[in-house]
Structures are given as structure tokens and as C-alpha cells.
Amino acid sequence: MKCVSIDLDGTLLNSQHEISKENILALNELQQQGYEIILNTGRAYKDIVKINGIQDLEIPIICLNGSVLYSKTGNLLFETFIPIPVYKKILSILQRIGVYVLVYTNHGGFPSTLPPLQRKSNEELAVVFHDYQYDEIFNLENLKIYKLIALVQNDQLEKIEEVKKSLNNQVEIAMASSFPNNVEITSNEAQKGQALLRYQQIMNVSFEEIFAFGDGGNDLAQFEVATTSVAMGNAPRYVQEKASIVTKTNNEDGFAYAVCNLLQLIQPQEPSSVR
């Protein structure tokens, strides 16, 4: 069995956060030819299934950088989370540095998840985080904290480096960045590459080949376990340098272009055949 592991934002999705007809066509053809398609993303499950085109695909989904795995039918296969004492320690460090903080839990994201914030202005972002009381989440039943995101405005990138340095010695966590202005913090058992290996163990399958597609620092972990890694043309240089090949950008249907022309996994077809 061969696997195609695909990041979402900046990879399968264009800048309007949509899947193009060309990419949908490539996904459908890959499925018809027997490839195991896995979405491997930093997004939360509820943010993934809202995307037009995803609802029509019955495929496994790796969420939150490998913190949570779902089967093709939406059943929970695995989860790992940050212990509450570790969360409290990290949160205090992030608040001292002065970054925005998103908390992903089994009850949703607080005060938000990342996708709804992507088109907000700096002023609107400030309103979302202003005076948010993070202790309120402790009132939630059976609380599990899957991921934190430290987020800054684009003119404050030096704070991201400060976050990385301040948390570098925390052995209980893993860090990666999906965009230059954030740091995603998870359990050290949660990485995209580990999740691909774990999925094979859980499902008792073995992928003879893994084709991994991504554009961000959090995709390097899946590049490490892939037989062929594909960086998008919009990926930062350090990500492209770690990939086997570089395709076109996410706004140029780079996923479909790589599948059809660079890897030749399927034959190119006319997008007009998509309904």
C-alpha cells in the first residue's frame, strides 16, 4: 500500500482556504487507484470537516500536528495531550513574553482556533484576546489540552524566537511553526511524522511508500518519515531545502501538478470532469 500524506493550509488549500477543482480531481483519482490518502494538519477536526470538498472524502485525518488521529469513518483512534501542570507553566511563560495564546482542547479552541483569525486585522485580533480569562477552561469537564499556539502580529516576529528559546528545555513538549508568526506546542508524542507511523501500527498496515506534501516547519516531521517529500513553491526556503522535490505554489494547484507531472502518480485529466 502507498500513502499520500497532505497538509492543508498552504498546501492542499489555496490562499482563499479552498480546494481547487484540479486538486479535488487529483485526490479522487489517487483514491480510485488505491492510494491511502491521509490529511495531516495542524487544524482541529471541526475546522477540517467544514471545508468544502473534505466532506466528500472518506479518509483518515491526523489533527493538531499528530495529537489526535481519526479513522476514515470519523472514529477516534489516538489522542495525546499536554499535562495540566505543564500547560500552566508554559502559559505563564507565554504570557510573560506577551504573545497571543490559542488553547486547543477536547471542548474546542479558546478563545478561538486559528482559521477564523486568518483574515482579522491587528485591531480585531487584539479584541479577541483582550482580557480573555484562561482559567475558565478549568471549569470544563474531563479537560484535555491538545495544543497551544503562540501567535504574534507580523511586526513582532522577534517574540517567536524568544518563545522558542524559552521553551527549548521543556522535554515534555514538541514545537513547530506552521507560519513564521506562530509556534505550535504539543505533547512530545505529537508530531506529523510520528502520527504516520502510529497510524500504521494502529491499523496494522505497512506503507511501502509515503509521499508527504507540506509547506511549513511542522511538515518537516512528516518529511523525515516519507520516502518522497514534496514542498510547495510557497514554502520557506528552509522547508524546500529539506524536501525531495519542490512543486508549484498552493495558488497554482501545486499539489495536483506534483501528483500528475512531477511524481506521475496519475495521468492529468481535465478539471471540467469534476462535478
Side-chain angles (χ1 to χ4, degrees), residues 91-238:
L91 180 64
S92 67
I93 293 172
L94 298 181
Q95 290 177 322
R96 173 181 57 79
I97 294 172
V99 298
Y100 298 142
V101 181
L102 298 173
V103 184
Y104 288 74
T105 77
N106 54 326
H107 295 276
F110 301 94
S112 175
T113 57
L114 190 56
L117 303 181
Q118 288 170 335
R119 292 193 176 101
K120 290 189 179 295
S121 66
N122 291 345
E123 292 74 19
E124 290 171 326
L125 283 175
V127 170
V128 170
F129 292 96
H130 182 66
D131 293 336
Y132 180 75
Q133 300 299 313
Y134 287 90
D135 285 349
E136 291 180 2
I137 69 171
F138 294 122
N139 297 323
L140 300 171
E141 186 177 356
N142 191 30
L143 175 65
K144 298 175 183 177
I145 298 173
Y146 295 131
K147 182 172 82 164
L148 303 178
I149 297 183
L151 180 68
V152 300
Q153 297 171 4
N154 287 322
D155 59 353
Q156 298 178 315
L157 296 183
E158 70 281 354
K159 288 188 176 181
I160 292 300
E161 294 307 313
E162 186 176 354
V163 168
K164 292 177 180 178
K165 290 179 181 178
S166 298
L167 299 181
N168 191 47
N169 62 347
Q170 303 295 319
V171 297
E172 303 96 337
I173 63 170
M175 290 187 289
S177 294
S178 54
F179 296 98
N181 69 329
N182 76 28
V183 179
E184 301 182 347
I185 303 160
T186 61
S187 158
N188 60 8
E189 295 184 355
Q191 295 181 37
K192 289 187 176 185
Q194 286 187 38
L196 284 172
L197 300 178
R198 183 172 287 117
Y199 177 79
Q200 293 177 78
Q201 294 173 346
I202 293 172
M203 302 304 296
N204 194 27
V205 298
S206 178
F207 297 139
E208 57 190 87
E209 289 187 84
I210 297 175
F211 301 91
F213 291 77
D215 75 301
N218 61 350
D219 291 306
L220 296 180
Q222 65 165 333
F223 284 7
E224 290 175 357
V225 303
T227 50
T228 303
S229 52
V230 184
M232 305 302 292
N234 48 285
R237 182 176 295 276
Y238 76 94

Side-chain angles (χ1 to χ4, degrees), residues 6-13 23 213-215 219 232 250 255:
I6 317 162
D7 173 53
L8 279 178
D9 293 282
T11 301
L12 191 63
L13 305 184
N23 284 350
F213 291 77
D215 75 301
D219 291 306
M232 305 302 292
N250 63 320
F255 169 74

